[in-house]
Amino acid sequence: VGVVASDSTNVLLKNLKIHGFTTHGIQAGRLKDWTLEETMIFSNSLSGWNGDIGAKKSSNTGTITFRRVKILYNGCGENPSNGQPQKCFSQSLGGYGDGLGTHETGGNWIFENVDISHNTSDGLDLLYHNGQGKITIKKSRFEGNAGNAVKVATTTWIENSLLIGNCGYFSKNPVAHGVDPCRAGGNTLAAKFRQGMTVSLFNNTFLGEGDVIVESSGKECDGKEKIISRNNIFWGRDEFLSRGDAPALYYASGRSGEGDGPCNDVTFDNAHSVIFHVKEIPAGCRGDHLICKNPLFVGPLSTDAYNVHLSPKSPAKKTGKILSEVEPVDYLGNPRGKDWDVGGLEFQEDVPALQPSEILTPASGTPEEKKSTKPTSSDFII
């Protein structure tokens, strides 16, 4: 294991590459107020971050922050001769494969400018959050994970991000030794609800080739729960495990996955969005400023880094709503101006293909990102 921790508070891990370990890059629990910055967790054979250090004794508190962090190709070995991932494997061969997963946990989890991609199970798995805290995701990318891209179970805010659920990424990939494609349906976003919980989705680009793009579940609802979606693109490919069948835009799976129990009708409040090639498109796409047309990405959409920039004729251009509560920049830090586009990326002339490394060097940043990150109060720095 690269880093092992428990019962530790006020920790900063910065400028690290944690890679090539035979189990986990980080195995840590019972943490309080941790920060990771400018760090890569890469090609660790079982997982990137494993938060399970024992049942009923792994829960975290305080604020756990990831800023300009990459968690990539976990569930894979690392070729010592060239540093590339190799022999990727998942649960059917005794592996694990989450980019980041926990046991039951609390705490406020913050992800800013992170890339959690190409892991052999789920990308970000916080489905065991106990509701004591919130999850915030900004200007981040989740792509090519073999399970669900993002899983949450507490009040969540996601903005200006790319959630690309190409869960069949490892199929016929030469780095794969045995990876189960589209585990647990391969859904792009899975949210387990509890009473009064809200999931807010603003100016994101969602792609999916699993069963569902946005799924809700849970057994503790009282009718006040909801998903609020504004200025999002939802684009479905044919389901990887059922070619010719499009993924559902949204499914309230309820208690058992069959749409039962008190969480079987969580509200999906979707407006000012572009929707294409999914099941159950709203009838005629009328009202709420929904556009049911091909978003016309630049492409290609079948590489290690999907190019989801908007083309000049995209219907997502200048059709978004200005949202005062959302930072007025896109995934790369480009300003949105006075006419917002729908999705995670504003239209740009002559844009290159998105590259995985761009997550650490955005085109521009907020003043907070440009401030010195010299530590001032951490008790323990690695």
Side-chain angles (χ1 to χ4, degrees), residues 6-27:
S6 61
D7 303 305
S8 56
T9 300
N10 199 26
V11 172
L12 171 65
L13 275 60
K14 183 173 179 178
N15 293 334
L16 303 182
K17 183 175 181 181
I18 304 169
H19 62 107
F21 288 91
T22 56
T23 56
H24 313 286
I26 295 176
Q27 186 165 24

Side-chain angles (χ1 to χ4, degrees), residues 151 200 226 306 351:
K151 297 163 76 172
S200 301
K226 57 186 174 181
Y306 274 43
V351 293

Side-chain angles (χ1 to χ4, degrees), residues 202-269:
F202 299 132
N203 271 102
N204 305 294
T205 297
F206 290 84
L207 277 72
E209 63 178 8
D211 190 39
V212 180
I213 295 180
V214 178
E215 178 204 16
S216 67
S217 63
K219 56 184 180 180
E220 301 176 5
C221 297
D222 61 9
K224 299 178 181 178
E225 301 71 28
K226 57 186 174 181
I227 300 171
I228 302 173
S229 164
R230 299 289 185 271
N231 292 357
N232 295 299
I233 294 175
F234 299 99
W235 187 87
R237 303 178 72 187
D238 279 1
E239 289 188 42
F240 181 81
L241 298 178
S242 182
R243 294 302 187 192
D245 193 13
L249 169 60
Y250 171 62
Y251 177 56
S253 65
R255 178 168 48 202
S256 69
E258 300 297 327
D260 59 337
C263 295
N264 69 341
D265 60 352
V266 173
T267 299
F268 184 52
D269 178 5

Side-chain angles (χ1 to χ4, degrees), residues 348-369:
Q348 303 288 321
E349 297 283 356
D350 302 320
V351 293
L354 287 170
Q355 299 297 325
S357 61
E358 284 186 5
I359 192 70
L360 296 182
T361 55
S364 62
T366 65
E368 288 74 17
E369 290 169 343

Side-chain angles (χ1 to χ4, degrees), residues 122 145-149 165-168 181-189 207-213 241:
D122 299 322
N145 297 291
N148 295 173
N166 54 324
C167 54
C182 302
R183 177 187 173 276
N187 303 324
T188 306
L189 173 63
L207 277 72
E209 63 178 8
D211 190 39
V212 180
I213 295 180
L241 298 178

Side-chain angles (χ1 to χ4, degrees), residues 11 14 24 37 43 48 73 75 95 101 153 198 247 276 314 350 366 380 382:
V11 172
K14 183 173 179 178
H24 313 286
E37 291 184 347
S43 278
Y73 287 100
T198 298
F276 182 67
S314 172
D350 302 320
T366 65
F380 181 43
I382 293 181

Side-chain angles (χ1 to χ4, degrees), residues 38-40 67-70 113 356-362:
E38 312 286 357
T39 287
M40 176 181 284
R67 188 176 294 117
R68 295 180 297 279
V69 170
K70 288 187 172 187
N113 293 97
S357 61
E358 284 186 5
I359 192 70
L360 296 182
T361 55

Side-chain angles (χ1 to χ4, degrees), residues 56-355:
K56 300 186 184 301
K57 58 180 182 179
S58 298
S59 186
N60 307 293
T61 58
T63 299
I64 316 294
T65 301
F66 296 74
R67 188 176 294 117
R68 295 180 297 279
V69 170
K70 288 187 172 187
I71 304 177
L72 309 174
Y73 287 100
N74 295 287
C76 302
E78 184 179 20
N79 188 322
S81 64
N82 59 17
Q84 296 301 303
Q86 65 173 1
K87 300 181 180 179
C88 303
F89 69 111
S90 58
Q91 289 183 329
S92 63
L93 293 180
Y96 175 24
D98 276 2
L100 187 156
T102 70
H103 206 290
E104 180 180 342
T105 184
N108 297 308
W109 292 74
I110 299 174
F111 302 87
E112 297 179 350
N113 293 97
V114 305
D115 186 353
I116 303 180
S117 297
H118 306 124
N119 301 286
T120 65
S121 188
D122 299 322
L124 173 62
D125 184 357
L126 287 174
L127 201 66
Y128 301 102
H129 200 290
N130 61 21
Q132 302 302 307
K134 299 180 180 180
I135 298 169
T136 303
I137 298 171
K138 296 183 177 182
K139 288 182 290 185
S140 295
R141 179 158 81 190
F142 306 83
E143 180 174 339
N145 297 291
N148 295 173
V150 175
K151 297 163 76 172
V152 299
T154 190
T155 295
T156 298
W157 182 287
I158 306 176
E159 69 171 53
N160 294 315
S161 294
L162 311 180
L163 288 80
I164 300 174
N166 54 324
C167 54
Y169 168 78
F170 285 98
S171 178
K172 299 181 181 179
N173 190 314
V175 304
H177 176 62
V179 177
D180 309 312
C182 302
R183 177 187 173 276
N187 303 324
T188 306
L189 173 63
K192 183 172 71 173
F193 277 77
R194 60 188 72 249
Q195 288 188 7
M197 178 175 144
T198 298
V199 173
S200 301
L201 310 173
F202 299 132
N203 271 102
N204 305 294
T205 297
F206 290 84
L207 277 72
E209 63 178 8
D211 190 39
V212 180
I213 295 180
V214 178
E215 178 204 16
S216 67
S217 63
K219 56 184 180 180
E220 301 176 5
C221 297
D222 61 9
K224 299 178 181 178
E225 301 71 28
K226 57 186 174 181
I227 300 171
I228 302 173
S229 164
R230 299 289 185 271
N231 292 357
N232 295 299
I233 294 175
F234 299 99
W235 187 87
R237 303 178 72 187
D238 279 1
E239 289 188 42
F240 181 81
L241 298 178
S242 182
R243 294 302 187 192
D245 193 13
L249 169 60
Y250 171 62
Y251 177 56
S253 65
R255 178 168 48 202
S256 69
E258 300 297 327
D260 59 337
C263 295
N264 69 341
D265 60 352
V266 173
T267 299
F268 184 52
D269 178 5
N270 184 26
H272 294 274
S273 295
V274 175
I275 305 166
F276 182 67
H277 193 58
V278 298
K279 297 174 187 172
E280 302 173 5
I281 292 176
C285 234
R286 295 185 296 270
D288 293 328
H289 300 88
L290 298 178
I291 299 172
C292 290
K293 294 182 179 179
N294 190 327
L296 298 177
F297 296 126
V298 170
L301 301 178
S302 58
T303 63
D304 288 359
Y306 274 43
N307 191 340
V308 291
H309 282 288
L310 303 179
S311 68
K313 295 184 178 180
S314 172
K317 288 177 58 181
K318 298 184 178 181
T319 55
K321 179 180 180 181
I322 295 176
L323 303 171
S324 61
E325 64 271 42
V326 175
E327 188 178 0
V329 297
D330 72 357
Y331 161 73
L332 291 175
N334 297 311
R336 291 201 177 268
K338 63 178 182 179
D339 295 308
W340 287 24
D341 296 341
V342 172
L345 288 163
E346 283 287 299
F347 171 73
Q348 303 288 321
E349 297 283 356
D350 302 320
V351 293
L354 287 170
Q355 299 297 325

